[in-house]
Each structure stands twice: as C-alpha cells, then as structure tokens.
Amino acid sequence: MGSRLRQRARGQPIGRDAVDLPVRPERAACKLCGVRQPVGCDDLATLSVGDRLERRAELEAALAAWTSKLDEAEVERQCQDAGVAAHRVQNSPELAVDPQITHRRHWVEVPHSTHGSTIIEAPRFTMSRSRVWPEVAAPALGEHLYEVLTEHLGYDADRVAELAAAEAFD
C-alpha cells in the first residue's frame, strides 16, 4: 500500500487495496505515523511549501512503512480517528454496500421499461421543501420515438411508417 500512497501524492492513479490520503495535512500525517526525526511535525509546520516538497520523500517513506503493516480498512480507521481525511479506494461491489453511501440513500431502485427495475444514483443533495428524486430510469433506446416524431415534430403516422419501412430507426 505504501507505494500507492506515493503514487497518489505524485498525482498518479492508484489501484486496489489502497487508501486515498490528501497530500497536504503533513501535521496530521506526522501525528498519525509517529514521524519525529528527521522531519518532525514542528519542523513541517514551519516549512514553506517548497521546502516541504523537497523533503516529501521522508514523509512518504514513513507513511509507506506504517501502512505496509495494516490493511486498508485499518489505515482508513486510524487516519480518520486522527483527523486525517482518508478513505479506502473501492470498486463497484464495495461501493454498493458502503455504510455511508447506504445511509445517505445514494442508490435508488427505480422502474425500467426493459429490465423491470434498475439501480441508479440519487441526487447529491436534498431540498427541504422540494422533492427532487428520480421516479424512473432513463428511457430505453427508441422508447419514446413515436411520440417525439408525431407529437413534437408533427410527423403523421404514414410518414413514421415510411421511415420504419426504410429501416431509418434501426
């Protein structure tokens, strides 16, 4: 996991079994992994951004040594307990059962014309006096084609039939 933390700090993609840590909270990270020398927390707090970037390798090495002994769930828990914003990287099945996502009702089951029902993402926010919630899934390809052609574009039934016979909708 440590190398993945270093990759993330350099803006590179990270893979499974990793924890996403913000790059900036050096003070919290020092407290978390017990880094004192040669890069002590008091030193980091007084360093300029440029100086911290120059010495970043020391902090990354300490984090890598610490995280290599733990699984991603424990790293996440300890980071959050210490006030460091961190969350383990999740794949789709893990995200589907994430306790916070579930608590916030992020996933909504809605009716679908072809599949019976499907799961979609809910809105990212709620309003106190307005219901902004999905009622149905997106339409299937061509599901409302006849209505669009006749009601909105003014095509008559014969013209729609001609287009269908010419396989314009296939």
Side-chain angles (χ1 to χ4, degrees):
M1 189 173 348
S3 64
R4 290 188 176 108
L5 289 173
R6 286 193 300 276
Q7 289 170 348
R8 176 64 178 161
R10 293 187 182 113
Q12 298 171 1
I14 57 177
R16 290 270 308 121
D17 300 329
V19 175
D20 190 11
L21 291 173
V23 176
R24 300 198 114 179
E26 294 92 349
R27 196 178 229 332
C30 286
K31 179 180 177 187
L32 184 63
C33 63
V35 176
R36 292 286 178 237
Q37 295 297 327
V39 182
C41 290
D42 294 335
D43 295 339
L44 279 173
T46 61
L47 292 176
S48 69
V49 173
D51 290 338
R52 282 194 309 241
L53 288 174
E54 285 180 23
R55 297 175 72 182
R56 183 173 65 188
E58 296 169 73
L59 180 57
E60 290 178 12
L63 284 170
W66 171 67
T67 59
S68 66
K69 300 172 189 155
L70 304 169
D71 69 13
E72 68 272 9
E74 185 60 18
V75 172
E76 175 188 69
R77 186 192 67 73
Q78 288 188 28
C79 286
Q80 291 175 356
D81 287 351
V84 177
H87 198 282
R88 63 192 125 148
V89 176
Q90 296 179 315
N91 60 23
S92 295
E94 293 166 339
L95 191 60
V97 296
D98 180 274
Q100 182 176 5
I101 298 287
T102 301
H103 172 75
R104 295 188 55 79
R105 296 180 16 198
H106 180 78
W107 306 115
V108 179
E109 186 171 359
V110 293
H112 190 276
S113 62
T114 307
H115 304 292
S117 68
T118 189
I119 306 273
I120 63 172
E121 291 183 80
R124 304 274 193 287
F125 59 90
T126 58
M127 294 191 232
S128 60
R129 292 182 285 168
S130 300
R131 177 152 168 83
V132 180
W133 209 254
E135 302 293 333
V136 296
L141 183 62
E143 181 176 343
H144 301 120
L145 180 61
Y146 184 80
E147 290 86 354
V148 169
L149 291 174
T150 58
E151 295 173 21
H152 299 284
L153 297 178
Y155 289 20
D156 62 20
D158 290 336
R159 184 164 182 197
V160 174
E162 289 172 15
L163 290 169
E167 298 180 346
F169 308 134
D170 292 338

